[in-house]
Amino acid sequence: MEQVKNDGLWQRTAIFSEAGYIPWQPGFERFGAEYHHQFVHDDIVADFYEIDGADFTHYALPTIPDGCTDFMFTKCGDVFHGYISTGVRAKKDFYFGEIEYLFGIRFMPGATCLFFRNPIREIVERPVYMEDLFAEGDSLLSRLTATSSFEERVAVATKFLQAARLQEDGQSKLLGYCTKRMYQTRGNGKLSVLAEDTGYTDRYIRNLFTDYIGISPKSFCQMLRLQYVLLLLAQHPHMNLEAAAAFAGYDDLSHMNRDCRRYMGCSSRQVRAQDFCQRGSKDGSIMFPC
């Protein structure tokens, strides 16, 4: 198994083991000559990342389901754009065109409701300009354009988000509680248990997830399990696939393979070989507006 250049691989797995969640996009780390990232892992931001020295013109960025919404910023000469991307329901490729670098803020699932209340269910796999949903987006973009390094961009974005955060409401608190419970079980909990614990109906919680994460609770749990499998196989390339399935809470290998094919488009054996995160063609990709 080719080693992914990820200094934080062990840290990501440790967070999973401590009943937390940190999403992983291995294709991002392989895409360009330089990849920078900084873990945050609080209730709002998972991490900051930047891809530089990449051939964005001819290739698309492989993206796998993680339940997260990202703020993405691109630079092409003197032109800067800010986007909101709610992620994907299955593996897709993102095409940006002629850009120099991509800087991103990856939010924990559902956390963007602390910055704008608009439901995001309509823009899953359909990235939009940031100002379409986030009124303060232009201000953040203008501040980022004045920076000259990844570290500066992280500092500017962190300060901005601290000031722009909205007051928590009942929905954001409920969503935060439910996602944390799902992290604790690594996606093996039941919606009926969440409904019983919170006093809300299954339907209400399901609609809340669809509105603010863009997917159902069941799909989100399946994505959590697969994210854990990715980390297991990356850390332990010789691990038996049946053992990986058992560790992640699947009934058996066939169960894990069904989810792999549904969300990654390949078998768990191919996931271990990392074929799923190679650069894609711009044809058939999700196009970011320019």
Side-chain angles (χ1 to χ4, degrees):
M1 177 181 182
E2 180 185 345
Q3 181 63 42
V4 172
K5 49 181 181 181
N6 181 5
D7 296 335
L9 192 61
W10 288 95
Q11 185 178 357
R12 291 179 189 274
T13 308
I15 290 170
F16 253 117
S17 299
E18 294 166 2
Y21 174 53
I22 193 76
W24 187 29
Q25 290 288 341
F28 282 40
E29 298 174 10
R30 296 171 51 133
F31 192 73
E34 295 183 34
Y35 178 79
H36 309 279
H37 74 98
Q38 179 174 317
F39 284 125
V40 180
H41 188 243
D42 57 21
D43 293 338
I44 301 174
V45 175
D47 61 347
F48 298 97
Y49 58 90
E50 184 170 270
I51 302 172
D52 204 351
D55 187 355
F56 286 101
T57 303
H58 297 99
Y59 295 101
L61 184 64
T63 306
I64 60 175
D66 61 9
C68 298
T69 296
D70 291 21
F71 286 178
M72 293 178 162
F73 303 88
T74 63
K75 178 181 185 296
C76 179
D78 295 328
V79 179
F80 294 82
H81 286 304
Y83 306 98
I84 295 177
S85 169
T86 63
V88 292
R89 293 190 178 102
K91 180 188 174 294
K92 297 287 183 179
D93 296 319
F94 286 174
Y95 183 69
F96 293 89
E98 297 181 4
I99 65 171
E100 297 170 25
Y101 71 75
L102 169 68
F103 173 75
I105 306 168
R106 183 169 295 123
F107 291 88
M108 294 297 289
T112 45
C113 69
L114 294 173
F115 298 93
F116 56 85
R117 303 297 192 197
N118 313 58
I120 61 174
R121 61 182 179 276
E122 300 300 330
I123 65 166
V124 175
E125 299 188 1
R126 187 174 65 84
V128 299
Y129 286 122
M130 182 167 294
E131 60 268 24
D132 290 350
L133 288 182
F134 184 38
E136 302 295 329
D138 281 342
S139 176
L140 176 54
L141 182 60
S142 65
R143 298 183 196 190
L144 289 173
T145 59
T147 62
S148 58
S149 69
F150 173 69
E151 290 74 20
E152 282 186 62
R153 286 185 270 280
V154 170
V156 166
T158 299
K159 184 176 181 180
F160 180 90
L161 293 176
Q162 289 171 347
R165 178 174 174 174
L166 301 174
Q167 191 71 27
E168 277 192 300
D169 62 5
Q171 287 187 323
S172 61
K173 289 179 180 178
L174 175 60
L175 188 60
Y177 174 82
C178 290
T179 53
K180 286 179 182 177
R181 287 295 304 274
M182 290 175 173
Y183 304 154
Q184 290 169 359
T185 64
R186 291 203 294 260
N188 289 293
K190 294 183 180 296
L191 179 58
S192 58
V193 174
L194 290 176
E196 183 177 348
D197 288 349
T198 62
Y200 291 90
T201 64
D202 291 16
R203 181 179 180 182
Y204 184 87
I205 295 174
R206 188 178 298 110
N207 289 340
L208 190 64
F209 270 71
T210 303
D211 280 347
Y212 294 109
I213 299 182
I215 53 177
S216 69
K218 180 179 179 180
S219 293
F220 182 54
C221 284
Q222 291 169 338
M223 291 178 187
L224 286 179
R225 285 200 297 268
L226 276 182
Q227 284 274 328
Y228 184 55
V229 168
L230 292 182
L231 292 171
L232 282 176
L233 297 182
Q235 274 195 324
H236 308 286
H238 302 295
M239 175 180 278
N240 182 280
L241 290 175
E242 285 82 0
F247 270 114
Y250 288 100
D251 295 334
D252 51 33
L253 179 58
S254 295
H255 184 194
M256 184 170 76
N257 276 330
R258 284 196 297 274
D259 276 4
C260 281
R261 291 191 176 92
R262 179 182 298 114
Y263 294 106
M264 307 294 187
C266 61
S267 69
S268 57
R269 190 174 302 278
Q270 291 169 304
V271 165
R272 181 162 62 182
Q274 296 183 16
D275 292 340
F276 72 98
C277 65
Q278 294 184 3
R279 294 185 300 181
S281 166
K282 64 181 180 180
D283 300 324
S285 299
I286 294 176
M287 312 291 284
F288 278 68
C290 59

